[in-house]
Amino acid sequence: MPYRTIIEPFRIHSVQAIKLPDRNQREEALRRSGYNPFGLHSDEVIIDLLTDSGTGAMSSRQWAGMLDGDEAYAGSRSFYRFLEVVQDLTGLAEVIPTHQGRAAERILFTVMVKDGDVVPNNTHFDTTRANVEYQGAEARDLVVAEGHDPSLLHPFKGNMDVEALERTIEEVGRDRVPLVMVTVTNNSGGGQPVSMANLRAVREVCSRYGIPFFLDACRFAENAWFIKLREDGYADRSPREIAREMFSLADGCTLSAKKDGLSNIGGFLAMNDPDVARDCRNLLILTEGFPTYGGLAGYDLEAIAQGLDEVLDEEYLRYRIRSTEYLAEKVARAGLPIVKPAGGHAVYLDAKALLPHIPPHEYPAQALVVELYLDGGVRGAEIGSVMFGKPQPDGTEIPAPMELVRLAVPRRTYTQSHIDYVGEVMIDVAERAKGLQGFRIVEQAPWLRHFTARFEPL
Ligand SMILES: Cc1ncc(COP(=O)(O)O)c(C=O)c1O
């Protein structure tokens, strides 16, 4: 390309209006929602970076595929198209559709994990952690030390600490480790990628101890692109070849198609072990649906099949990763502390560094999330002690390792000027950081409390 600008490799075909409610309306919306962005109506938000999950724009080919969806209860043609695409991509024999990623997690852990087990992961995502803990097991995060330092530059901060993995297996005993998971990219750890060398090393440990190795593969294509850019020997390989190699190292995966499936709903569980798959399918029938639709419509299966193909397009991935990096560069230039390098799907503000006067138990990242909305109608998500803090019986809390605000960019949805606007809002809020105050929780659920908790400003 003779020019430096990396353009959106698509044109806009259909639009939805957005508008900024006035300041009084934003204040009222915050009070009503208990200062929890999950309680806001989307019409009260102008740029919605709460999540990249299911919020992207589908292509005209996905919509066209949906019109052709086969809604047969059993043996739908759309299922067989989906099956072929997933098997071709992952090389995994058994493919079980689910309504989203967490359903795949719940089914897998119900079959494989029991009370007292320990499940290692680089960093468990919130639903993954909750589903492991719901079985009475421990969800142990073993990301490399570099992954805990937001400002440190490292190409693969999502890598698993392989020595710590081996120590964990030795310490708790192989029989209490029913599977090892690696999340690509590492969402709760700043959207950071995992290298092929690291996946290979985890595979080697799992093979040696005879423990199944599963990928939490929601953002497999973004991870493949980072490997192409950053890992020796992969520059000339296509994202599809790299993704196939990643999957070839695993015994199975869970995947939320709401991310790199480029779809608004859906997911799957895939594996090679036919016995585990049979037990999973029996559970699937109980709560999700028959194995050839798994809680999805036939048209959803069409959208996912097409999305899994489109997501590996090089032009798309170049634009995707660059647009996140563009926002990160803009705010880093202005001196804002962020997780570096930029994650694949999101920019993560380091609230601990920006608001050192607010201690973790007063939730600095929540304070920042609230102010971003109040200031510019931008919705982000807290990934800190609200999400991962551990309440203790004496009323205190063990804080999360990091206090982050995640600004997740939906796929193919916002333009460069939307992102410029977000950058301006972030910089404006950061300039007033010293005046921000913390929050206290006044209502919370026993697990996944961040979705429904209510707060009061201190
Ligand atoms: C890494 C990771 N795993 C699992 C999930 C759960 O997927 P879902 O929201 O489709 O249940 C998510 C969702 O954000 C995720 O980011």
Side-chain angles (χ1 to χ4, degrees), residues 100-102 105 125 127 183 187 216 218-219 256 258-259:
Q100 55 184 95
R102 69 198 68 183
E105 291 164 1
F125 183 62
T127 59
T183 306
N187 186 5
D216 177 342
C218 300
R219 296 178 182 82
S256 164
K258 300 172 76 174
K259 287 84 172 173

Side-chain angles (χ1 to χ4, degrees), residues 96-113 131 135 254 269 271 276-277 279-289 294:
I96 300 169
T98 57
H99 79 275
Q100 55 184 95
R102 69 198 68 183
E105 291 164 1
R106 187 189 59 79
I107 291 170
L108 179 69
F109 299 151
T110 305
V111 171
M112 292 191 71
V113 178
N131 273 302
Q135 299 301 326
T254 55
L269 171 60
M271 65 192 73
V276 175
D279 292 350
C280 289
R281 284 199 183 93
N282 288 339
L283 272 182
L284 184 87
I285 293 172
L286 194 64
T287 56
E288 294 276 305

Side-chain angles (χ1 to χ4, degrees), residues 7 87 177 221 414:
I7 63 166
Q87 284 177 334
V177 183
Y414 292 117

